[in-house]
Amino acid sequence: MFSWIMRVRCALLAGVLFAAFCEWAFAQQVQQIQPTAAASPLPRTTQGKPNLQGIWQAQSRAAYDLQSHSARQGMPAGKGVVEGGEIPYQPWAAAKKLENFTNRQTADPLGNCYFPGVPRIMYMEFPFQIFQTPEHIAITFEWSQVYRLIYLNGKPPLHDGVESWMGDSRARWEGDTLVVEIAGQNDRTWFDMAGNFHSDAVRVTERYTMLDADTIQYEATIQDPKVFTKPWKIRMPLVRQKNIDRILEYQCQAEAEEANGAFERDPRTWYPEPGSAPSPLGKPAVMPQGGSLPALRTGENLRRTGDGKPDLTGYYQSSGGGANYGLERHGRDFLTPGTRGVVIDPTDGSLPYQPWAREERINRELPYRGYDDPTAHCFVAGIPRSIYVPSPLQILQPPGYVVLLFERMSWRVIPLDGRPHIPDNVRLWQGDSVGRWEGDTLVVDTTNLNGKAWLNEVGDVVSHAERVVERFIPVDAGKITYRATVTDPIVYTRPWTIEIPLNRGTEELLEVACHEDNGDLQHLKDVRDEFRAQQKKEK
């Protein structure tokens, strides 16, 4: 290499020709270095910003301990990611951290499947997917269907001062680096399994800098005057996952409750376990075609994206008419409010149940069955229920996708590239969705559902054979008509369709920490257990 030493020698040696040769040689070295960087230009968006979109995973052992550490049970050894090596705790906080470490097997909030907070969510050993638009960065995580919605619009938060597990994220670009400020986190999360912790005064500043097309340098600076003597920083690479084309699900709490028996298998509706006995229901019905539906015209003056498709982006609230308390029309009873009915096919508004399924639906209305509703356990709602659970959603349209983020913390990623569905034996709460445009209507085909969801609180039934074809029809600048046709030959005699308006608003999503603050489940369990005890006694 042509070093600075040689350059100094050139300056000291006499002779213009030799000095000129030295300068030429130095220039040649620079030219040899520069093409290496230029050979791999950063991917960029149409706005010229680095394109972070893709599936990534942290390359570190930071999830176990941010600092360098030896191996322990359940905690492999790892090199630290803290700049300077040590976290600058105040004396009292250092003692608290040691206490946390000692009790980590039971005290770690993640052990209860709670939200991880920021930055911990970024370096857990699960992949995540980044989506990018001019006004938003969305990150969807495999772990428990957590997401982050990061605002790039320069506006202050609409709900400033509202504390949450994942905090409020606002971003800006500093050159080619994305800088994200996170405020409003509560004090109930840890930074890692080792018990490193913070207070409710914590502020996190993240920096995402692309080093090349497949590597992001991730930095997070932590400030918390209640706990630390000064700000401190962590740094690690995020690596593009080229062998993964979609994020799946790891539903932490659902898996835990199924494993310990708190959430019980229904052999009639759940996807069969390997080697299990055939369903007691016999062969599924042969499904005839559904009825014809009246056509809906899309709006004429719709917002459009750069590729000419309708721009569905926005915050929406469904006008579900009580669909979460029954898809069929019914009056109010002592447990649930009345509903207007959202079934448009069959035209009589009734769901075309098979006899066993109608009987099951009626039984689910009884008080002791309330515990069996998965949403009572704070599990995700499934499809199409996620749309009409009475909480809002955000739609984003990054290149190649439509992304739905639900305030009741779950997400759906809908690719538009025509890819096939995942293998049949991979079953998910939210299923596997693939979308396409038919004119100005977004059509989404969802398969691979696990059959564990209920359609609402009164227990309208679906099974693992459910297939849903949704249509998002933009009828004007602020309204989408949502139609979903459900085919399920185990439960129904024919397909059926619901229709619900989605109305765009100007709000921002809040965080619904359902599992973390679930105070009703034990009461529902007590009701169920009392009923079972009485049944056993009567026998």
Side-chain angles (χ1 to χ4, degrees):
M1 178 179 289
F2 191 88
S3 68
W4 67 272
I5 296 176
M6 181 60 77
R7 195 161 187 180
V8 170
R9 287 175 176 168
C10 286
L12 295 175
L13 288 172
V16 174
L17 289 178
F18 189 70
F21 167 78
C22 290
E23 290 301 319
W24 173 84
F26 182 75
Q28 289 300 110
Q29 181 199 356
V30 173
Q31 289 177 9
Q32 290 173 7
I33 295 172
Q34 287 177 340
T36 303
S40 313
L42 297 180
R44 293 188 180 272
T45 67
T46 55
Q47 293 77 36
K49 300 300 183 184
N51 191 344
L52 307 178
Q53 190 155 300
I55 297 177
W56 305 86
Q57 190 166 351
Q59 194 171 58
S60 77
R61 291 285 173 83
Y64 298 100
D65 192 337
L66 293 177
Q67 301 176 105
S68 296
H69 59 280
S70 301
R72 296 175 175 84
Q73 183 179 13
M75 182 184 290
K79 184 179 178 181
V81 296
V82 178
E83 190 177 83
E86 295 294 326
I87 297 175
Y89 280 108
Q90 296 178 28
W92 76 268
K96 176 63 177 175
K97 188 270 177 182
L98 181 59
E99 177 187 328
N100 288 346
F101 180 80
T102 302
N103 300 321
R104 64 189 183 280
Q105 297 295 340
T106 55
D108 183 357
L110 213 62
N112 291 318
C113 299
Y114 293 162
F115 291 155
V118 181
R120 188 177 188 180
I121 188 67
M122 300 304 302
Y123 44 80
M124 292 174 63
E125 292 188 331
F126 293 87
F128 55 86
Q129 190 161 7
I130 298 179
F131 301 95
Q132 188 170 346
T133 74
E135 291 198 340
H136 300 92
I137 300 285
I139 311 180
T140 58
F141 298 91
E142 184 176 84
W143 194 88
S144 290
Q145 285 239 304
V146 178
Y147 65 82
R148 294 179 61 191
L149 181 57
I150 302 169
Y151 294 90
L152 268 166
N153 55 19
K155 298 178 181 178
L158 291 181
H159 308 289
D160 194 20
V162 175
E163 203 174 80
S164 63
W165 288 76
M166 300 298 295
D168 177 82
S169 295
R170 306 281 151 169
R172 65 185 183 277
W173 288 99
E174 291 183 358
D176 281 349
T177 295
L178 178 72
V179 181
V180 185
E181 303 282 356
I182 303 98
Q185 294 193 81
N186 64 30
D187 63 356
R188 298 171 68 184
T189 65
W190 288 3
F191 290 120
D192 55 25
M193 187 186 291
N196 287 303
F197 75 105
H198 59 85
S199 77
D200 57 3
V202 68
R203 297 291 295 260
V204 181
T205 301
E206 299 173 301
R207 299 179 71 87
Y208 298 77
T209 305
M210 292 197 82
L211 303 181
D212 55 50
D214 298 322
T215 312
I216 297 172
Q217 182 73 26
Y218 175 78
E219 297 181 359
T221 300
I222 291 90
Q223 301 179 65
D224 187 340
K226 291 184 179 180
V227 176
F228 308 111
T229 60
K230 62 180 179 178
W232 52 280
K233 182 186 294 186
I234 60 173
R235 180 186 294 113
M236 71 197 72
L238 308 177
V239 179
R240 188 183 298 276
Q241 303 300 295
K242 296 182 178 181
N243 61 338
I244 302 175
D245 70 348
R246 53 177 39 90
I247 295 293
L248 300 175
E249 296 174 358
Y250 178 70
Q251 301 289 357
C252 177
Q253 185 62 17
E255 297 299 335
E257 291 194 28
E258 288 176 34
N260 65 26
F263 187 63
E264 300 171 344
R265 163 174 285 274
D266 184 342
R268 299 167 301 178
T269 59
W270 289 28
Y271 187 75
E273 290 183 321
S276 62
S279 168
L281 303 174
K283 292 183 179 180
V286 176
M287 300 295 278
Q289 293 292 319
S292 59
L293 297 172
L296 278 179
R297 294 180 56 126
T298 55
E300 296 181 356
N301 298 309
L302 302 174
R303 301 185 310 178
R304 295 190 179 269
T305 61
D307 60 1
K309 300 302 182 185
D311 186 355
L312 307 181
T313 300
Y315 168 100
Y316 289 88
Q317 185 78 55
S318 66
S319 178
N324 194 48
Y325 309 104
L327 299 181
E328 300 169 316
R329 182 182 180 88
H330 67 80
R332 180 179 181 86
D333 61 27
F334 74 101
L335 287 176
T336 57
T339 68
R340 70 164 182 256
V342 296
V343 178
I344 61 170
D345 177 42
T347 55
D348 65 0
S350 298
L351 292 172
Y353 275 114
Q354 294 195 44
W356 78 267
R358 175 64 75 178
E359 182 179 342
E360 167 66 6
R361 152 71 173 79
I362 293 170
N363 183 262
R364 287 181 178 183
E365 285 191 71
L366 298 175
Y368 84 94
R369 294 298 304 275
Y371 179 80
D372 297 334
D373 180 359
T375 65
H377 297 247
C378 297
F379 303 159
V380 296
I383 309 300
R385 188 178 182 181
S386 290
I387 295 292
Y388 53 78
V389 167
S391 63
L393 67 147
Q394 176 82 32
I395 299 179
L396 301 178
Q397 272 177 270
Y401 295 88
V402 173
V403 179
L404 279 60
L405 307 176
F406 300 96
E407 188 169 84
R408 200 177 180 278
M409 196 53 80
S410 65
W411 50 260
R412 292 179 63 193
V413 170
I414 303 167
L416 302 174
D417 57 8
R419 68 185 61 179
H421 287 291
I422 57 178
D424 182 72
N425 65 328
V426 181
R427 294 292 171 142
L428 309 169
W429 284 87
Q430 296 288 69
D432 182 62
S433 295
V434 175
R436 67 183 185 275
W437 289 99
E438 291 183 359
D440 284 344
T441 295
L442 174 66
V443 181
V444 182
D445 179 30
T446 300
T447 61
N448 296 79
L449 291 148
N450 60 21
K452 300 173 184 178
W454 287 14
L455 286 173
N456 41 46
E457 290 190 15
V458 299
D460 279 318
V461 184
V462 281
S463 78
H464 64 85
E466 176 192 16
R467 184 168 193 155
V468 187
V469 176
E470 301 161 290
R471 285 175 166 79
F472 294 79
I473 307 164
V475 292
D476 63 35
K479 184 175 180 179
I480 296 171
T481 294
Y482 172 80
R483 282 183 176 176
T485 298
V486 175
T487 303
D488 187 337
I490 290 178
V491 178
Y492 299 99
T493 60
R494 53 160 285 183
W496 50 269
T497 301
I498 60 172
E499 182 175 294
I500 293 171
L502 306 178
N503 300 310
R504 185 184 289 130
T506 58
E507 278 283 315
E508 294 179 352
L509 295 182
L510 290 168
E511 176 189 283
V512 176
C514 177
H515 166 55
E516 289 74 4
D517 299 310
N518 191 350
D520 295 330
L521 186 61
Q522 185 59 48
H523 169 70
L524 294 172
K525 184 177 185 300
D526 291 343
V527 172
R528 186 204 65 175
D529 291 349
E530 182 180 346
F531 174 84
R532 288 183 173 182
Q534 183 64 33
Q535 291 290 102
K536 185 177 181 180
K537 183 178 180 181
E538 290 175 359
K539 289 180 180 180

